[in-house]
Amino acid sequence: MAQPVEFFFDFYSPYGYLASLQIDKIAARRHRTVTWRPIMLGVIFKQEGMTPLTDIPLVGPYSLHDFKRSARLINADFSFPRDFPKAALAPSRAYYWLLERDVTTAHMLAQKVYHAIFAEGLDGSDAQVVARLAEPLGVKRDELLKAIQQPKVKERLKQETELAIQRGVCGSPFFFVDDEPFWGNDRLWQVEKWLETGGW
């Protein structure tokens, strides 16, 4: 059986959000599944001495323009978050906690969190917001709030981020197709081509 496409992302990554709306469909067209893997991009930036695109002179204004343009291209709702960026510890921990229980529920929560941040203007770093988003999925609010404070859940997110760094993940979104790395929402066409052809 073919390996799943691996999708590494940070919940406060605008390009990660746009990729999240497309990657499952791209993979499905080639009879692949996708493994979603949230990471803490801030940790990577700190280690590599990088800063968010929006904080870089000249690049910042361009990126803000391009986020909106790229969203319009795929007919996606988009609103740039206030107080950007934030550390999305709560949704990332909640995702990995749910992943151990039910992959589908974890995936659905990740989609809801991304939409809440970039389409609804909600604070996706707020544990109460994450718990509220999870409730319609059958997840008990108090159980989730307690779970994301568990040391083993915190450690899982830390390990996932460290593993991503070891594998060369340098931004969000980042994909692996049969261990071939692709960085960026603008590389989705290459991801699809690689899935179609097997590589070049």
Side-chain angles (χ1 to χ4, degrees):
M1 182 178 293
Q3 296 181 41
V5 174
E6 293 179 88
F7 169 39
F8 289 83
F9 63 93
D10 185 293
F11 278 111
Y12 266 85
S13 164
Y15 286 128
Y17 163 64
L18 297 176
S20 77
L21 300 174
Q22 304 172 76
I23 188 58
D24 288 322
K25 295 176 183 177
I26 289 171
R29 285 197 287 269
R30 299 300 167 189
H31 310 289
R32 298 282 190 112
T33 58
V34 181
T35 299
W36 287 41
R37 304 183 75 166
I39 55 172
M40 302 307 296
L41 193 57
V43 174
I44 296 175
F45 280 1
K46 184 176 181 179
Q47 178 165 314
E48 299 300 317
M50 300 165 64
T51 58
L53 291 177
T54 52
D55 291 344
I56 302 174
L58 296 181
V59 176
Y62 171 81
S63 64
L64 289 170
H65 178 77
D66 189 58
F67 297 153
K68 296 176 182 178
R69 180 177 59 195
S70 298
R72 291 196 304 270
L73 181 64
I74 61 172
N75 297 314
D77 294 329
F78 183 86
S79 177
F80 192 71
R82 291 173 293 180
D83 302 322
F84 176 90
K86 288 190 172 184
L89 289 167
S92 301
R93 291 172 181 171
Y95 175 87
Y96 284 117
W97 170 66
L98 284 172
L99 191 64
E100 296 296 321
R101 298 156 50 113
D102 183 79
V103 174
T104 300
T105 303
H107 189 174
M108 291 174 66
L109 178 63
Q111 291 174 316
K112 286 171 71 71
V113 169
Y114 251 145
H115 190 270
I117 294 170
F118 288 101
E120 302 174 52
L122 299 178
D123 184 352
S125 69
D126 186 329
Q128 294 291 340
V129 171
V130 176
R132 187 167 69 248
L133 292 171
E135 279 190 307
L137 303 177
V139 181
K140 294 181 179 179
R141 177 189 295 249
D142 291 343
E143 190 175 359
L144 183 147
L145 292 172
K146 182 178 179 180
I148 62 175
Q149 296 302 323
Q150 294 176 0
K152 65 178 182 180
V153 175
K154 293 181 179 180
E155 183 63 23
R156 173 68 185 273
L157 176 57
K158 181 180 178 181
Q159 290 176 350
E160 290 286 343
T161 300
E162 291 175 350
L163 176 61
I165 293 171
Q166 291 171 15
R167 295 182 65 187
V169 174
C170 55
S172 169
F174 201 101
F175 311 94
F176 285 99
V177 182
D178 301 327
D179 295 322
E180 183 70 19
F182 298 89
W183 173 28
N185 181 61
D186 59 349
R187 288 296 181 266
L188 280 173
W189 71 273
Q190 290 191 9
V191 168
E192 183 157 23
K193 192 68 174 179
W194 196 275
L195 287 167
E196 176 186 353
T197 64
W200 55 85

